[in-house]
């Protein structure tokens, strides 16, 4: 989620993920591993990326979000699979012994309505192919309710102890997380790439490399931490406009996760990103895509939409955002229905994840190459 603001391969997911809290760490953070002594080129590369993060914060976010402490998010996510893709998967799975005969396209949808505070208080209502749930927390109290299960649990993750009070600080904290991995961390080797002229702009390439294991097409399951942390290893090439210090193009690869994408940025005259065009070669989703952002008169983005297209499949999303100042947590106060059954977090989590896994497996059988999230104990 955190890297998504710099790497819009996941920006849509980042905005949806704002409906979930930033969980406080369950254990004390590990001591930082000191970096090996670096040469001048590596130091310059990291310093340049730090200046890019600062420029991104000022142009993309910054003072426009000062004093705004809440955002309402509404929208939809849709996954579409063609009949041809589903028939091909049936044919493959049965070694041509069964013909699917499917004539209608497959479709999974999710409608989201959420209020998320910068300090991590939130309420999210999600309705769609994966069931109907309400997820809520204010301070240390909250619940997760499933209408499908007619059940709820009151044990939720506590909020972070250092949560910002406004989105000015929230976005800065996101970029600080990226800085911790790429600028301050020891994992990536940093080098300078070539300098060139693109469309009348002088562009400098920054390269960060942390090798991964090869892609294993037989691996169908991985931890949620691996899925969300794909950006913490791999190869990142950022082409930076030397005049504005803003990203002009990004190429990112994580071979182990099967992620490979190129992103080209289009800005307005204020440095706001308007469009990100994708050339996506990630496993199971090879094809073009785009991300579009709309802005209000005050300079805050209020709409995010986009598509990722692959052969016989498409993922699309459309989210609207409304920012608020001085919002009170009492505006989202909620309780489970009196007829709902209280269950242990473990029981409800297993029920929800099992249902989700079944839907994901159905999509996998239909041709969408996703790895299931592991149901193993945490």
């Amino acid at each position: 989620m955190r890297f998504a603001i710099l790497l819009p391969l996941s920006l849509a997911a980042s905005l949806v993920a704002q409906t979930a809290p930033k969980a406080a760490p369950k254990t004390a953070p590990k001591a930082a591993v000191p970096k090996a002594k670096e040469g001048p080129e590596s130091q310059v590369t990291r310093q340049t990326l730090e200046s890019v993060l600062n420029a991104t914060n000022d142009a993309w976010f910054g003072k426009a979000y000062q004093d705004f402490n809440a955002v309402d998010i509404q929208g939809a996510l849709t996954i579409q699979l063609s009949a041809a893709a589903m028939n091909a998967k049936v044919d493959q799975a049965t070694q041509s012994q069964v013909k699917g005969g499917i004539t209608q396209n497959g479709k999974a949808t999710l409608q989201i309505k959420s209020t998320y505070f910068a300090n991590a208080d939130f309420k999210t209502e999600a309705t769609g192919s994966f069931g109907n749930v309400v997820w809520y927390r204010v301070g240390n109290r909250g619940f997760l309710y499933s209408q499908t299960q007619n059940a709820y649990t009151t044990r939720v993750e506590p909020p972070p102890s250092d949560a910002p009070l406004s989105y000015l600080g929230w976005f800065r904290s996101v970029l600080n997380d990226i800085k911790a991995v790429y600028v301050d961390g020891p994992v990536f080797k940093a080098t300078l790439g070539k300098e060139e002229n693109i469309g009348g702009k002088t562009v400098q390439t920054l390269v960060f490399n942390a090798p991964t294991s090869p892609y294993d097409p037989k691996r169908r399951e991985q931890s949620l931490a691996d899925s969300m942390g794909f950006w913490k290893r791999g190869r990142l090439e950022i082409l930076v406009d030397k005049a504005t210090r803003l990203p002009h193009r990004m190429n990112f690869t994580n071979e182990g996760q099967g992620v490979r994408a190129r992103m080209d940025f289009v800005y307005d005259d204020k440095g706001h990103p308007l469009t990100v065009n994708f050339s996506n070669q990630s496993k199971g989703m090879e094809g073009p895509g785009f991300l579009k952002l709309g802005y209000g008169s005050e300079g805050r983005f209020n709409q995010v939409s986009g598509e990722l297209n692959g052969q016989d499949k498409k993922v699309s999303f459309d989210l609207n955002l409304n920012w608020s100042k001085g919002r009170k947590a009492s505006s989202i106060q909620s309780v489970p229905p009196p007829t709902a059954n209280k269950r242990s977090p473990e029981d409800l989590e297993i029920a929800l994840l099992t249902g989700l896994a079944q839907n994901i497996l159905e999509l996998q059988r239909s041709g969408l190459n996703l790895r299931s999230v592991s149901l193993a104990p945490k």
Side-chain angles (χ1 to χ4, degrees):
M1 166 185 167
R2 309 290 277 170
F3 190 55
I5 291 188
L6 180 62
L7 184 62
L9 175 65
S10 309
L11 182 53
S14 169
L15 293 171
V16 175
Q18 290 184 43
T19 63
K22 301 178 192 175
K26 296 183 179 180
T27 58
K30 296 180 180 179
V33 178
K35 288 184 293 189
K37 187 174 181 179
E38 296 182 319
E41 178 184 358
S42 180
Q43 294 176 14
V44 169
T45 304
R46 295 182 192 276
Q47 290 167 2
T48 303
L49 178 59
E50 185 171 6
S51 72
V52 170
L53 295 176
N54 290 334
T56 299
N57 180 69
D58 294 341
W60 293 21
F61 312 118
K63 292 185 178 180
Y65 298 88
Q66 188 171 6
D67 299 328
F68 284 85
N69 70 326
V71 59
D72 292 319
I73 304 171
Q74 285 189 272
L77 170 70
T78 302
I79 300 174
Q80 296 180 358
L81 300 167
S82 72
M86 291 187 281
N87 283 325
K89 197 64 176 180
V90 170
D91 183 73
Q92 176 187 0
T94 63
Q95 299 181 343
S96 302
Q97 297 301 305
V98 176
K99 298 298 181 183
I102 299 171
T103 59
Q104 294 184 343
N105 295 342
K107 186 176 181 180
T109 61
L110 179 68
Q111 297 288 330
I112 295 171
K113 181 180 179 182
S114 177
T115 298
Y116 189 79
F117 288 80
N119 71 351
D121 292 340
F122 71 94
K123 178 183 178 182
T124 293
E125 300 174 62
T127 303
S129 302
F130 298 151
N132 306 316
V133 299
V134 177
W135 196 9
Y136 167 84
R137 189 195 65 218
V138 171
N140 292 314
R141 304 186 67 177
F143 65 87
L144 175 63
Y145 164 71
S146 167
Q147 183 182 34
T148 304
Q149 302 289 328
N150 191 32
Y152 71 96
T153 177
T154 56
R155 192 193 306 171
V156 295
E157 292 286 346
S161 59
D162 58 347
L165 299 180
S166 77
Y167 275 97
L168 174 69
W170 194 94
F171 286 119
R172 181 70 257 186
S173 71
V174 171
L175 298 177
N176 285 342
D177 284 352
I178 298 168
K179 176 178 178 290
V181 173
Y182 282 85
V183 177
D184 302 329
V187 175
F188 284 87
K189 179 181 178 181
T191 57
L192 286 172
K194 63 183 178 180
E195 185 176 303
E196 57 188 314
N197 186 287
I198 300 179
K201 299 178 180 179
T202 302
V203 176
Q204 173 72 62
T205 301
L206 312 178
V207 181
F208 296 85
N209 190 44
T212 70
S213 60
Y215 180 73
D216 181 2
K218 296 180 180 180
R219 184 184 178 197
R220 304 300 293 171
E221 187 177 274
Q222 66 186 10
S223 70
L224 184 59
D226 286 342
S227 296
M228 297 300 291
F230 73 92
W231 57 276
K232 294 181 179 179
R233 294 200 73 91
R235 181 180 176 88
L236 173 65
E237 297 180 2
I238 307 180
L239 283 67
V240 179
D241 185 332
K242 293 191 72 173
T244 65
R245 280 294 197 264
L246 293 174
H248 173 77
R249 178 180 298 159
M250 290 187 188
N251 295 291
F252 181 80
T253 303
N254 182 319
E255 292 293 348
Q257 294 275 15
V259 177
R260 181 185 294 270
R262 168 178 154 174
M263 293 143 280
D264 291 279
F265 297 81
V266 178
Y267 295 95
D268 65 12
D269 57 2
K270 297 179 180 178
H272 297 144
L274 297 177
T275 305
V276 183
N277 293 308
F278 298 92
S279 176
N280 193 16
Q281 297 301 318
S282 299
K283 298 293 185 181
M285 206 62 206
E286 297 88 346
F290 68 86
L291 177 74
K292 292 185 177 180
L293 295 97
Y295 296 84
S297 58
E298 306 85 357
R300 290 180 295 278
F301 63 92
N302 55 19
Q303 184 177 32
V304 181
S305 62
E307 286 183 1
L308 287 175
N309 292 278
Q311 185 178 4
D312 298 322
K313 56 184 73 90
K314 180 172 74 172
V315 177
S316 58
F317 53 89
D318 192 350
L319 302 172
N320 294 299
L321 298 92
N322 184 35
W323 304 87
S324 301
K325 284 184 179 181
R327 187 84 174 267
K328 302 296 184 182
S330 58
S331 65
I332 61 170
Q333 187 172 359
S334 183
V335 295
T339 58
N341 301 307
K342 186 175 181 179
R343 295 169 63 175
S344 72
E346 294 77 15
D347 287 347
L348 186 56
E349 180 181 12
I350 289 172
L352 290 173
L353 289 179
T354 299
L356 175 60
Q358 289 173 345
N359 279 279
I360 289 177
L361 289 173
E362 287 301 318
L363 292 173
Q364 288 175 334
R365 295 188 188 102
S366 302
L368 186 63
N369 187 15
L370 294 174
R371 287 174 172 168
S372 301
V373 173
S374 173
L375 296 181
K378 299 177 180 177

